Coordinates of all heavy atoms in Angstrom, one line a residue:
M4 N -34.4 59.8 -17.4 CA -34.8 59.9 -16.0 C -35.6 61.2 -15.7 O -36.5 61.2 -14.9 CB -33.5 59.8 -15.1 CG -33.7 59.6 -13.7 SD -34.4 58.0 -13.5 CE -34.4 57.9 -11.7
R5 N -35.3 62.2 -16.4 CA -36.0 63.5 -16.2 C -37.4 63.4 -16.6 O -38.3 64.0 -16.0 CB -35.2 64.5 -17.0 CG -35.0 65.8 -16.3 CD -33.7 66.4 -16.4 NE -33.9 67.8 -16.6 CZ -34.2 68.6 -15.6 NH1 -34.3 68.2 -14.4 NH2 -34.3 69.9 -15.8
L6 N -37.7 62.6 -17.7 CA -39.1 62.5 -18.1 C -39.9 61.7 -17.1 O -41.1 62.1 -16.8 CB -39.1 61.7 -19.5 CG -40.5 61.4 -20.0 CD1 -41.2 62.7 -20.4 CD2 -40.4 60.6 -21.3
L7 N -39.3 60.7 -16.5 CA -40.0 59.9 -15.5 C -40.3 60.8 -14.2 O -41.4 60.7 -13.7 CB -39.2 58.7 -15.1 CG -39.9 57.7 -14.1 CD1 -41.1 57.2 -14.8 CD2 -38.9 56.6 -13.8
E8 N -39.4 61.6 -13.8 CA -39.6 62.6 -12.7 C -40.7 63.6 -13.0 O -41.5 63.9 -12.2 CB -38.3 63.3 -12.4 CG -37.2 62.4 -11.8 CD -35.9 63.2 -11.6 OE1 -35.9 64.4 -11.8 OE2 -34.9 62.5 -11.3
R9 N -40.7 64.0 -14.3 CA -41.7 65.0 -14.7 C -43.1 64.4 -14.7 O -44.1 65.0 -14.3 CB -41.4 65.5 -16.1 CG -42.3 66.6 -16.6 CD -42.2 67.8 -15.9 NE -43.0 68.8 -16.5 CZ -43.0 70.1 -16.2 NH1 -42.1 70.5 -15.4 NH2 -43.8 70.9 -16.8
M10 N -43.2 63.1 -15.1 CA -44.5 62.4 -15.2 C -45.0 62.1 -13.7 O -46.2 62.2 -13.5 CB -44.3 61.1 -15.9 CG -44.2 61.3 -17.4 SD -44.0 59.7 -18.3 CE -45.5 58.9 -18.0
R11 N -44.1 61.8 -12.8 CA -44.5 61.6 -11.4 C -45.0 62.9 -10.8 O -45.9 62.9 -10.0 CB -43.3 61.1 -10.6 CG -43.0 59.7 -10.8 CD -42.0 59.2 -9.9 NE -41.7 57.8 -10.2 CZ -40.5 57.2 -9.9 NH1 -39.5 57.9 -9.3 NH2 -40.3 55.9 -10.1
K12 N -44.4 64.0 -11.2 CA -44.8 65.3 -10.7 C -46.2 65.7 -11.3 O -47.0 66.3 -10.6 CB -43.8 66.4 -11.0 CG -44.0 67.7 -10.4 CD -43.0 68.7 -10.7 CE -43.3 70.1 -10.2 NZ -42.4 71.1 -10.6
E13 N -46.4 65.5 -12.5 CA -47.6 65.9 -13.2 C -48.6 64.7 -13.5 O -49.3 64.7 -14.4 CB -47.2 66.5 -14.6 CG -46.3 67.7 -14.5 CD -47.0 68.9 -13.9 OE1 -48.2 69.0 -14.0 OE2 -46.2 69.8 -13.4
W14 N -48.7 63.8 -12.6 CA -49.5 62.6 -12.8 C -51.0 62.9 -12.9 O -51.7 62.3 -13.6 CB -49.3 61.6 -11.6 CG -49.7 62.1 -10.3 CD1 -48.9 62.8 -9.4 CD2 -51.0 62.0 -9.7 NE1 -49.7 63.1 -8.3 CE2 -51.0 62.6 -8.5 CE3 -52.2 61.4 -10.1 CZ2 -52.1 62.6 -7.6 CZ3 -53.3 61.5 -9.3 CH2 -53.2 62.1 -8.1
F15 N -51.4 63.9 -12.1 CA -52.8 64.3 -12.2 C -53.2 64.9 -13.5 O -54.3 64.5 -14.1 CB -53.1 65.3 -11.0 CG -54.6 65.5 -10.9 CD1 -55.4 64.6 -10.4 CD2 -55.1 66.8 -11.2 CE1 -56.8 64.8 -10.2 CE2 -56.5 67.0 -11.1 CZ -57.3 66.1 -10.6
M16 N -52.4 65.8 -14.0 CA -52.7 66.4 -15.3 C -52.7 65.3 -16.4 O -53.5 65.4 -17.3 CB -51.7 67.5 -15.6 CG -52.1 68.4 -16.8 SD -53.7 69.2 -16.6 CE -53.3 70.4 -15.4
I17 N -51.7 64.4 -16.4 CA -51.6 63.3 -17.4 C -52.9 62.5 -17.3 O -53.5 62.1 -18.3 CB -50.4 62.5 -17.1 CG1 -49.1 63.3 -17.5 CG2 -50.4 61.2 -18.0 CD1 -47.8 62.7 -17.0
G18 N -53.4 62.2 -16.1 CA -54.6 61.4 -15.9 C -55.8 62.1 -16.5 O -56.7 61.5 -17.1
I19 N -55.9 63.4 -16.3 CA -57.0 64.2 -16.9 C -57.0 64.2 -18.4 O -58.0 64.0 -19.0 CB -57.0 65.7 -16.3 CG1 -57.4 65.7 -14.9 CG2 -57.9 66.5 -17.1 CD1 -57.3 67.0 -14.2
V20 N -55.8 64.3 -19.0 CA -55.7 64.3 -20.4 C -56.1 62.9 -21.0 O -56.8 62.8 -22.0 CB -54.2 64.7 -20.8 CG1 -54.0 64.4 -22.3 CG2 -54.0 66.2 -20.5
L21 N -55.6 61.9 -20.3 CA -56.0 60.5 -20.7 C -57.5 60.3 -20.6 O -58.1 59.6 -21.5 CB -55.2 59.5 -19.9 CG -53.7 59.4 -20.2 CD1 -53.1 58.4 -19.3 CD2 -53.5 59.0 -21.7
A22 N -58.1 60.8 -19.5 CA -59.6 60.6 -19.4 C -60.3 61.3 -20.5 O -61.3 60.8 -21.0 CB -60.0 61.1 -18.0
I23 N -59.9 62.6 -20.8 CA -60.6 63.3 -21.8 C -60.4 62.6 -23.2 O -61.3 62.5 -24.0 CB -60.0 64.8 -21.8 CG1 -60.5 65.5 -20.6 CG2 -60.5 65.5 -23.1 CD1 -59.9 66.9 -20.4
A24 N -59.2 62.2 -23.4 CA -58.9 61.5 -24.7 C -59.7 60.2 -24.8 O -60.3 59.9 -25.9 CB -57.4 61.2 -24.8
G25 N -59.9 59.5 -23.7 CA -60.7 58.3 -23.7 C -62.2 58.6 -24.0 O -62.9 57.8 -24.7
A26 N -62.6 59.6 -23.4 CA -64.0 60.0 -23.6 C -64.3 60.5 -25.0 O -65.4 60.3 -25.6 CB -64.4 61.2 -22.6
K27 N -63.3 61.1 -25.6 CA -63.4 61.6 -27.0 C -63.4 60.4 -28.0 O -64.2 60.3 -28.9 CB -62.3 62.5 -27.3 CG -62.3 63.1 -28.7 CD -63.4 64.1 -28.9 CE -63.2 64.7 -30.2 NZ -64.4 65.5 -30.6
L28 N -62.6 59.3 -27.7 CA -62.5 58.2 -28.5 C -63.7 57.2 -28.4 O -64.2 56.6 -29.4 CB -61.2 57.4 -28.3 CG -59.9 58.1 -28.6 CD1 -58.7 57.3 -28.1 CD2 -59.9 58.4 -30.1
K29 N -64.2 57.1 -27.2 CA -65.3 56.1 -26.9 C -66.4 56.8 -26.0 O -66.5 56.4 -24.8 CB -64.7 54.9 -26.3 CG -65.7 53.8 -26.2 CD -65.4 52.7 -27.2 CE -66.2 51.5 -26.8 NZ -66.7 50.8 -27.9
P30 N -67.2 57.7 -26.6 CA -68.2 58.4 -25.7 C -69.3 57.5 -25.2 O -70.0 57.8 -24.3 CB -68.7 59.5 -26.6 CG -68.4 59.1 -28.0 CD -67.2 58.2 -27.9
S31 N -69.5 56.3 -25.9 CA -70.6 55.4 -25.5 C -70.4 54.8 -24.1 O -71.4 54.3 -23.5 CB -70.8 54.3 -26.5 OG -69.6 53.5 -26.6
V32 N -69.2 54.9 -23.6 CA -69.0 54.3 -22.2 C -69.7 55.1 -21.2 O -70.2 54.6 -20.2 CB -67.5 54.2 -22.0 CG1 -67.2 53.8 -20.6 CG2 -66.8 53.2 -23.0
G33 N -69.7 56.4 -21.3 CA -70.3 57.3 -20.3 C -71.7 57.7 -20.5 O -72.1 58.6 -19.7
V34 N -72.4 57.3 -21.5 CA -73.8 57.7 -21.6 C -74.7 57.1 -20.6 O -74.4 56.0 -20.0 CB -74.3 57.4 -23.1 CG1 -73.5 58.1 -24.1 CG2 -74.3 55.9 -23.3
N35 N -75.9 57.6 -20.4 CA -76.9 57.0 -19.4 C -77.2 55.6 -19.9 O -77.5 55.4 -21.0 CB -78.1 57.9 -19.4 CG -78.0 59.1 -18.5 OD1 -77.0 59.1 -17.7 ND2 -78.8 60.0 -18.6
G36 N -77.1 54.7 -19.0 CA -77.4 53.3 -19.3 C -76.2 52.6 -19.8 O -76.2 51.4 -20.1
G37 N -75.1 53.2 -20.0 CA -73.8 52.6 -20.5 C -73.1 51.8 -19.4 O -73.6 51.7 -18.3
P38 N -72.0 51.3 -19.7 CA -71.3 50.4 -18.7 C -70.9 51.2 -17.4 O -70.8 50.5 -16.4 CB -70.0 50.0 -19.4 CG -70.2 50.4 -20.9 CD -71.3 51.4 -20.9
L39 N -70.6 52.4 -17.5 CA -70.2 53.2 -16.2 C -71.4 53.5 -15.4 O -71.3 53.8 -14.2 CB -69.5 54.5 -16.6 CG -68.0 54.3 -17.0 CD1 -67.4 55.7 -17.3 CD2 -67.2 53.6 -16.0
K40 N -72.6 53.5 -15.9 CA -73.8 53.8 -15.2 C -73.7 55.2 -14.5 O -73.7 55.3 -13.2 CB -74.2 52.8 -14.2 CG -74.4 51.4 -14.7 CD -75.8 51.1 -15.1 CE -76.0 49.7 -15.5 NZ -76.3 49.5 -16.8
P41 N -73.5 56.3 -15.2 CA -73.3 57.6 -14.6 C -74.4 58.0 -13.7 O -74.2 58.8 -12.8 CB -73.1 58.5 -15.8 CG -73.7 57.9 -16.9 CD -73.6 56.4 -16.7
E42 N -75.6 57.6 -13.9 CA -76.8 58.0 -13.1 C -76.6 57.4 -11.7 O -77.1 58.0 -10.7 CB -78.1 57.5 -13.7 CG -78.2 56.0 -13.9 CD -77.7 55.5 -15.2 OE1 -77.1 56.3 -16.0 OE2 -77.8 54.3 -15.4
I43 N -75.8 56.4 -11.5 CA -75.5 55.8 -10.2 C -74.2 56.3 -9.7 O -74.0 56.8 -8.5 CB -75.6 54.3 -10.2 CG1 -77.0 53.8 -10.5 CG2 -75.1 53.7 -8.8 CD1 -77.1 52.4 -10.8
T44 N -73.1 56.2 -10.5 CA -71.8 56.5 -10.1 C -71.6 57.9 -9.7 O -70.9 58.3 -8.7 CB -70.8 56.1 -11.1 OG1 -71.1 56.7 -12.4 CG2 -70.7 54.6 -11.3
V45 N -72.2 58.8 -10.5 CA -72.1 60.3 -10.2 C -72.9 60.6 -9.0 O -72.5 61.4 -8.1 CB -72.4 61.1 -11.4 CG1 -72.5 62.6 -11.1 CG2 -71.4 60.9 -12.5
S46 N -74.1 60.1 -8.9 CA -75.0 60.5 -7.8 C -74.6 60.0 -6.5 O -74.6 60.7 -5.5 CB -76.4 59.9 -8.1 OG -76.9 60.4 -9.3
Y47 N -74.1 58.8 -6.4 CA -73.8 58.2 -5.1 C -72.3 58.0 -4.8 O -71.7 58.5 -3.9 CB -74.5 56.9 -4.9 CG -76.0 57.0 -5.0 CD1 -76.7 56.6 -6.1 CD2 -76.7 57.6 -4.0 CE1 -78.0 56.7 -6.2 CE2 -78.1 57.7 -4.1 CZ -78.7 57.3 -5.2 OH -80.1 57.4 -5.3
I48 N -71.6 57.3 -5.7 CA -70.2 56.9 -5.5 C -69.3 58.1 -5.5 O -68.4 58.3 -4.7 CB -69.8 55.8 -6.5 CG1 -70.7 54.6 -6.3 CG2 -68.3 55.5 -6.3 CD1 -70.5 53.5 -7.3
A49 N -69.5 59.0 -6.5 CA -68.6 60.2 -6.6 C -68.8 61.1 -5.4 O -67.8 61.6 -4.8 CB -68.9 60.9 -7.9
V50 N -70.0 61.3 -5.0 CA -70.3 62.2 -3.9 C -69.7 61.6 -2.6 O -69.1 62.3 -1.8 CB -71.8 62.5 -3.7 CG1 -72.1 63.2 -2.4 CG2 -72.3 63.3 -4.9
A51 N -69.9 60.3 -2.4 CA -69.4 59.6 -1.2 C -67.8 59.7 -1.2 O -67.2 59.9 -0.1 CB -69.8 58.2 -1.2
T52 N -67.2 59.5 -2.4 CA -65.8 59.6 -2.5 C -65.2 61.0 -2.1 O -64.2 61.1 -1.4 CB -65.3 59.2 -3.9 OG1 -65.8 57.9 -4.2 CG2 -63.8 59.2 -4.0
I53 N -65.9 62.0 -2.6 CA -65.5 63.4 -2.3 C -65.6 63.6 -0.8 O -64.7 64.2 -0.2 CB -66.4 64.4 -3.1 CG1 -66.1 64.3 -4.5 CG2 -66.2 65.8 -2.5 CD1 -67.0 65.0 -5.4
F54 N -66.7 63.2 -0.1 CA -66.8 63.4 1.3 C -65.8 62.6 2.1 O -65.3 63.1 3.1 CB -68.2 63.1 1.8 CG -69.2 64.3 1.6 CD1 -70.1 64.3 0.6 CD2 -69.1 65.4 2.4 CE1 -71.0 65.3 0.3 CE2 -70.0 66.5 2.2 CZ -70.9 66.4 1.2
F55 N -65.5 61.4 1.6 CA -64.5 60.5 2.3 C -63.2 61.2 2.2 O -62.4 61.2 3.2 CB -64.5 59.2 1.6 CG -63.5 58.2 2.3 CD1 -63.8 57.7 3.5 CD2 -62.4 57.9 1.6 CE1 -62.9 56.8 4.1 CE2 -61.5 57.0 2.2 CZ -61.7 56.5 3.4
N56 N -62.8 61.7 1.0 CA -61.5 62.3 0.9 C -61.4 63.6 1.7 O -60.4 63.9 2.3 CB -61.2 62.7 -0.6 CG -60.8 61.5 -1.4 OD1 -60.3 60.5 -0.8 ND2 -61.0 61.5 -2.7
S57 N -62.5 64.3 1.8 CA -62.5 65.5 2.7 C -62.3 65.1 4.1 O -61.6 65.8 4.9 CB -63.8 66.3 2.5 OG -64.0 66.7 1.2
G58 N -62.9 64.1 4.6 CA -62.7 63.6 5.9 C -61.3 63.2 6.2 O -60.8 63.4 7.3
L59 N -60.7 62.5 5.2 CA -59.3 62.1 5.4 C -58.3 63.3 5.5 O -57.3 63.2 6.2 CB -58.8 61.2 4.2 CG -59.4 59.8 4.2 CD1 -58.9 59.1 2.9 CD2 -59.1 59.1 5.4
S60 N -58.7 64.4 5.0 CA -57.8 65.6 5.0 C -58.0 66.4 6.2 O -57.3 67.4 6.4 CB -58.0 66.4 3.7 OG -59.3 67.0 3.7
L61 N -58.9 66.1 7.1 CA -59.1 66.9 8.3 C -57.9 66.7 9.3 O -57.3 65.6 9.3 CB -60.4 66.4 9.1 CG -61.7 66.8 8.5 CD1 -62.8 66.1 9.3 CD2 -61.9 68.3 8.5
K62 N -57.6 67.7 10.0 CA -56.6 67.6 11.0 C -57.1 66.8 12.2 O -58.3 66.9 12.5 CB -56.1 69.0 11.5 CG -55.5 69.8 10.4 CD -55.0 71.1 10.9 CE -54.2 71.8 9.8 NZ -54.5 73.2 9.7
T63 N -56.2 66.0 12.8 CA -56.7 65.1 13.8 C -57.2 65.9 15.1 O -58.1 65.5 15.7 CB -55.6 64.2 14.3 OG1 -54.4 65.0 14.7 CG2 -55.2 63.2 13.2
E64 N -56.7 67.1 15.3 CA -57.1 67.9 16.5 C -58.6 68.3 16.2 O -59.4 68.2 17.1 CB -56.3 69.1 16.7 CG -54.9 68.9 17.0 CD -54.0 68.7 15.8 OE1 -54.4 69.2 14.7 OE2 -52.9 68.1 15.9
F65 N -58.9 68.7 15.0 CA -60.3 69.1 14.7 C -61.2 67.9 14.8 O -62.3 68.0 15.4 CB -60.4 69.7 13.3 CG -61.7 70.1 12.9 CD1 -62.3 71.2 13.5 CD2 -62.4 69.4 11.9 CE1 -63.6 71.6 13.1 CE2 -63.7 69.8 11.6 CZ -64.3 70.9 12.1
A66 N -60.8 66.8 14.2 CA -61.6 65.6 14.3 C -61.9 65.1 15.7 O -63.0 64.7 16.1 CB -61.0 64.5 13.4
D67 N -60.8 65.1 16.5 CA -61.0 64.7 17.9 C -62.0 65.6 18.7 O -62.8 65.2 19.5 CB -59.6 64.7 18.6 CG -58.7 63.6 18.2 OD1 -59.3 62.6 17.6 OD2 -57.5 63.7 18.4
S68 N -61.9 66.9 18.4 CA -62.8 67.8 19.1 C -64.2 67.6 18.7 O -65.2 67.7 19.5 CB -62.4 69.3 18.9 OG -62.6 69.6 17.5
R69 N -64.4 67.3 17.4 CA -65.8 67.1 16.9 C -66.3 65.7 17.4 O -67.5 65.6 17.8 CB -65.8 67.0 15.4 CG -65.4 68.3 14.7 CD -66.4 69.4 14.9 NE -67.6 69.1 14.1 CZ -68.7 69.8 14.1 NH1 -68.7 70.9 14.8 NH2 -69.7 69.5 13.3
L70 N -65.5 64.7 17.6 CA -65.9 63.5 18.1 C -66.3 63.6 19.6 O -67.2 63.0 20.1 CB -64.9 62.4 17.9 CG -64.6 61.9 16.5 CD1 -63.4 61.0 16.5 CD2 -65.9 61.2 16.0
H71 N -65.6 64.5 20.3 CA -65.9 64.7 21.7 C -67.2 65.5 21.8 O -68.0 65.2 22.8 CB -64.7 65.4 22.4 CG -65.0 65.8 23.8 ND1 -65.1 64.8 24.8 CD2 -65.3 67.0 24.4 CE1 -65.4 65.4 25.9 NE2 -65.5 66.7 25.7
A72 N -67.4 66.4 21.0 CA -68.6 67.3 21.1 C -69.9 66.5 20.8 O -70.9 66.8 21.4 CB -68.5 68.5 20.1
S73 N -69.9 65.6 19.9 CA -71.1 64.8 19.5 C -71.7 64.1 20.7 O -72.9 64.3 20.9 CB -70.8 63.9 18.3 OG -70.3 64.6 17.2
P74 N -71.0 63.3 21.4 CA -71.7 62.6 22.6 C -72.2 63.6 23.6 O -73.2 63.4 24.2 CB -70.6 61.8 23.2 CG -69.6 61.6 22.1 CD -69.6 62.8 21.3
C75 N -71.5 64.7 23.8 CA -71.9 65.7 24.8 C -73.2 66.4 24.4 O -74.1 66.5 25.2 CB -70.8 66.8 24.9 SG -69.3 66.3 25.7
V76 N -73.4 66.7 23.1 CA -74.6 67.3 22.6 C -75.7 66.2 22.7 O -76.8 66.5 23.1 CB -74.4 67.8 21.1 CG1 -75.7 68.2 20.5 CG2 -73.4 68.9 21.1
F77 N -75.4 65.0 22.3 CA -76.4 64.0 22.4 C -76.9 63.8 23.8 O -78.1 63.7 24.1 CB -75.9 62.6 21.8 CG -76.8 61.5 22.0 CD1 -78.0 61.4 21.2 CD2 -76.6 60.5 23.0 CE1 -78.8 60.3 21.4 CE2 -77.4 59.5 23.1 CZ -78.6 59.4 22.4
C78 N -76.0 63.7 24.8 CA -76.3 63.5 26.2 C -77.2 64.6 26.7 O -78.1 64.4 27.4 CB -75.1 63.3 27.0 SG -74.3 61.7 26.7
S79 N -76.7 65.9 26.4 CA -77.5 67.0 26.9 C -78.9 67.1 26.3 O -79.8 67.4 27.0 CB -76.7 68.3 26.7 OG -76.6 68.6 25.3
D80 N -79.0 66.8 25.1 CA -80.3 66.8 24.4 C -81.2 65.7 25.0 O -82.4 65.9 25.3 CB -80.2 66.6 22.9 CG -81.5 66.7 22.2 OD1 -82.3 67.6 22.6 OD2 -81.8 65.9 21.3
F81 N -80.6 64.5 25.2 CA -81.4 63.4 25.8 C -81.8 63.7 27.2 O -82.9 63.4 27.6 CB -80.5 62.1 25.8 CG -81.1 60.9 26.4 CD1 -82.1 60.3 25.7 CD2 -80.8 60.5 27.6 CE1 -82.8 59.1 26.2 CE2 -81.4 59.4 28.2 CZ -82.4 58.7 27.5
N82 N -80.9 64.3 28.0 CA -81.3 64.6 29.4 C -82.3 65.7 29.5 O -83.2 65.6 30.3 CB -80.0 65.1 30.2 CG -79.1 63.9 30.4 OD1 -79.5 62.8 30.4 ND2 -77.8 64.3 30.6
Q83 N -82.2 66.7 28.6 CA -83.2 67.8 28.6 C -84.6 67.3 28.1 O -85.6 67.7 28.6 CB -82.8 69.0 27.8 CG -81.6 69.7 28.4 CD -81.1 70.8 27.5 OE1 -81.5 71.0 26.4 NE2 -80.1 71.5 28.0
G84 N -84.6 66.3 27.2 CA -85.8 65.8 26.7 C -86.6 65.0 27.7 O -87.8 64.9 27.7
S85 N -85.8 64.4 28.7 CA -86.5 63.5 29.7 C -87.0 64.4 30.9 O -87.6 63.8 31.8 CB -85.5 62.4 30.1 OG -84.4 63.0 30.8
W86 N -86.7 65.7 30.9 CA -87.2 66.5 32.0 C -88.7 66.6 32.0 O -89.3 66.8 33.0 CB -86.5 67.9 32.0 CG -85.1 67.9 32.3 CD1 -84.3 66.9 32.9 CD2 -84.3 69.1 32.2 NE1 -83.1 67.4 33.1 CE2 -83.0 68.7 32.7 CE3 -84.4 70.4 31.8 CZ2 -81.9 69.6 32.7 CZ3 -83.4 71.2 31.8 CH2 -82.1 70.8 32.3
W87 N -89.3 66.6 30.9 CA -90.7 66.9 30.7 C -91.6 65.7 31.1 O -92.8 65.9 31.2 CB -91.0 67.4 29.3 CG -90.2 68.6 29.0 CD1 -89.2 68.7 28.2 CD2 -90.4 69.9 29.5 NE1 -88.7 70.0 28.1 CE2 -89.5 70.8 28.9 CE3 -91.4 70.5 30.3 CZ2 -89.4 72.1 29.1 CZ3 -91.3 71.9 30.6 CH2 -90.3 72.6 30.0
K88 N -91.0 64.6 31.3 CA -91.8 63.4 31.6 C -92.0 63.2 33.0 O -91.3 63.5 33.9 CB -91.2 62.2 30.9 CG -91.2 62.3 29.4 CD -90.7 61.0 28.8 CE -90.8 61.1 27.3 NZ -90.4 60.0 26.6

């Protein structure tokens, strides 16, 4: 039971070790043009995932204030732009 608890606690480190071991055993999976297509997955999918996870970790008070500020800025910019016509 103690081993299972330890594995649950250290799941991220175990995942990193397994990923490194897999890359060492079969490096052809991650080369350019390989099955993982790193030129696409790293450029787009990984970056999008990082930003998505960052957005999920925002506090709701901060997110609410940012959502409120965006329409206000848009409206004020729109209104000021129409003054010159």
Side-chain angles (χ1 to χ4, degrees):
M4 194 65 172
R5 226 139 134 77
L6 178 64
L7 188 59
E8 289 174 11
R9 181 69 175 193
M10 287 178 63
R11 283 186 183 154
K12 184 179 177 187
E13 300 290 337
W14 65 270
F15 188 71
M16 190 59 71
I17 293 169
I19 289 175
V20 169
L21 289 175
I23 292 171
K27 181 73 173 169
L28 294 173
K29 188 107 170 138
S31 63
V32 173
V34 298
N35 281 342
L39 284 181
K40 304 267 190 247
E42 58 275 3
I43 296 171
T44 55
V45 172
S46 299
Y47 300 107
I48 297 172
V50 173
T52 303
I53 290 168
F54 278 104
F55 181 72
N56 284 337
S57 296
L59 288 178
S60 67
L61 287 176
K62 292 182 174 140
T63 56
E64 297 88 21
F65 179 73
D67 288 342
S68 68
R69 298 291 287 178
L70 289 173
H71 176 69
S73 298
C75 293
V76 170
F77 174 74
C78 291
S79 67
D80 185 41
F81 179 75
N82 290 337
Q83 290 175 358
S85 63
W86 287 353
W87 300 106
K88 293 185 178 179

